[in-house]
Amino acid sequence: MANESNDYKMTFLEHLEELRKRLLISIIAIAIGATIAYFFSPEILSLLKKPAGPSLGKLKVLSLTEGFMAYFKIAIIVGIILSIPIIFYQVWAFISPALKPGERRHVHLFVFWTTISFLAGCIFAYTVLLPFAIPYLLNFGSGELEPMITVTKYLSFTSTMILGCGAVFELPILIYLLTMLGIVTTGFLTRNRKYAVLICFIAAAIITPTGDVVNLLLLAVPMIGLYEIGILASRLVKRKERQIL
């Protein structure tokens, strides 16, 4: 990567130092967001329980510290979500030296769309996936099994779904960036579409481990759609490059 001023090339150690700096800023942002969120942990937990409906009841704790650690985990999750714009800005600041001068000016668009995409994925998980997945799992084997859901397990499940969907919704922007950096091409993405579909189903099965087809399709189909949007974004990059030339 070359910096914005000249032909100067950063050394490997300078890259590591730059990465350390960006990670440190991101961690501080998460810590600040988590500190604020901690004071609202009970209310946030109530919101996280809503997709389950009244059948969930009160979550269980199996140790003296589990309740405290649950609120701490909630604070970290919300801290990550609150600091997403800062995190994505740090990502842009780290990769921008590898971009052309004209491309570096799009930092505000990058931060805006990555933030919107991540939040859209989180909302999709909260309003679509969780209301389907949690009742299904609670009622599974209800004739012989009685669920005893601990707060730790519940938060692990819901946070994986929410943050996982947020990350998945970044796929078109990731493809756009990889095309700008010359790592992938539109032809490569089109030729490997069938493998991408397979990966989407595998990723959906990992993020939504409910075992039923409906919940699998609820995430896999949007992921495939996001991949197709990514192909369109890749074509847009190439069209802009031809216009410049």
Side-chain angles (χ1 to χ4, degrees):
M1 295 187 206
N3 68 5
E4 293 185 2
S5 57
N6 278 307
D7 302 330
Y8 171 72
K9 300 284 184 178
M10 295 176 66
T11 65
F12 178 71
L13 290 178
E14 286 174 328
H15 279 302
L16 289 180
E17 177 60 26
E18 180 70 11
L19 178 60
R20 187 194 69 83
K21 173 185 174 183
R22 300 302 171 188
L23 287 174
L24 181 60
I25 294 174
S26 300
I27 291 171
I28 292 173
I30 293 172
I32 294 173
T35 301
I36 297 172
Y38 182 81
F39 296 101
F40 302 95
S41 293
E43 292 80 6
I44 296 170
L45 180 58
S46 296
L47 287 175
L48 288 175
K49 290 174 60 180
K50 282 187 179 298
S55 60
L56 178 63
K58 287 189 176 182
L59 296 171
K60 310 299 189 294
V61 293
L62 301 180
S63 69
L64 292 175
T65 59
E66 189 170 2
F68 171 78
M69 293 306 298
Y71 282 0
F72 181 77
K73 185 172 185 176
I74 289 172
I76 295 297
I77 294 168
V78 177
I80 291 173
I81 295 174
L82 291 177
S83 59
I84 278 298
I86 296 174
I87 292 173
F88 284 135
Y89 178 82
Q90 300 310 313
V91 172
W92 179 270
F94 181 72
I95 67 172
S96 62
L99 302 176
K100 298 174 183 177
E103 296 169 339
R104 295 175 195 152
R105 296 195 300 266
H106 300 314
V107 56
H108 298 98
L109 286 175
F110 173 81
V111 173
F112 175 78
W113 284 114
T114 49
T115 301
I116 291 297
S117 298
F118 186 87
L119 294 179
C122 293
I123 293 171
F124 178 79
Y126 183 80
T127 59
V128 178
L129 292 182
L130 290 178
F132 274 87
I134 296 176
Y136 172 83
L137 292 173
L138 284 174
N139 294 322
F140 186 82
S142 57
E144 300 294 333
L145 304 175
E146 181 181 357
M148 186 180 72
I149 312 301
T150 66
V151 64
T152 299
K153 296 296 184 181
Y154 185 81
L155 288 177
S156 294
F157 181 79
T158 53
S159 62
T160 298
M161 295 277 277
I162 292 172
L163 296 180
C165 284
V168 164
F169 271 59
E170 299 293 342
L171 183 59
I173 298 174
L174 176 62
I175 292 175
Y176 185 86
L177 283 176
L178 291 177
T179 305
M180 287 176 61
L181 295 171
I183 298 175
V184 300
T185 63
T186 305
F188 173 83
L189 296 170
T190 305
R191 288 193 306 271
N192 292 280
R193 182 183 276 114
K194 57 183 179 181
Y195 300 110
V197 171
L198 176 61
I199 292 172
C200 286
F201 274 97
I202 293 173
I206 294 172
I207 297 175
T208 59
T210 58
D212 67 300
V213 177
V214 175
N215 280 291
L216 181 67
L217 291 176
L218 280 174
L219 182 57
V221 172
M223 287 178 67
I224 295 171
L226 290 168
Y227 184 80
E228 294 297 328
I229 294 174
I231 293 178
L232 295 176
S234 178
R235 287 175 178 161
L236 179 62
V237 173
K238 292 305 177 184
R239 187 177 300 128
K240 286 183 178 180
E241 289 180 352
R242 287 194 296 268
Q243 288 175 353
I244 293 174
L245 293 175

